[in-house]
Amino acid sequence: MARVRFIGPEPVTVPELGSRAVQPDEVVEVPDGRFDGYVCQPQAWESVEEPGARSAKKTAGAKPASKGSDD
């Protein structure tokens, strides 16, 4: 799931999010496939976390297995 911030001046109801009321400056999770539909409205939404960012962070944070010393 991607994350976007609502930057509009007043709360809005977002049917796609189960008719949830979203407050100004609130960050919400949206389906990755719908991310572009939000950020293409720069007067209302801004990107916080792009699609796939969480899985990339998990992969980047993983450490390779270290080999033991054969002393």
Side-chain angles (χ1 to χ4, degrees), residues 10-57:
E10 298 180 12
V12 294
T13 300
V14 183
E16 185 173 67
L17 300 177
S19 294
R20 177 178 171 187
V22 180
Q23 303 297 317
D25 203 40
E26 183 177 356
V27 175
V28 295
E29 289 189 341
V30 298
D32 287 353
R34 293 291 301 134
F35 176 78
D36 290 338
Y38 287 87
V39 296
C40 74
Q41 303 173 66
Q43 72 285 0
W45 301 95
E46 69 180 7
S47 173
V48 172
E49 189 172 283
E50 294 187 11
R54 289 184 189 199
S55 60
K57 286 179 185 177

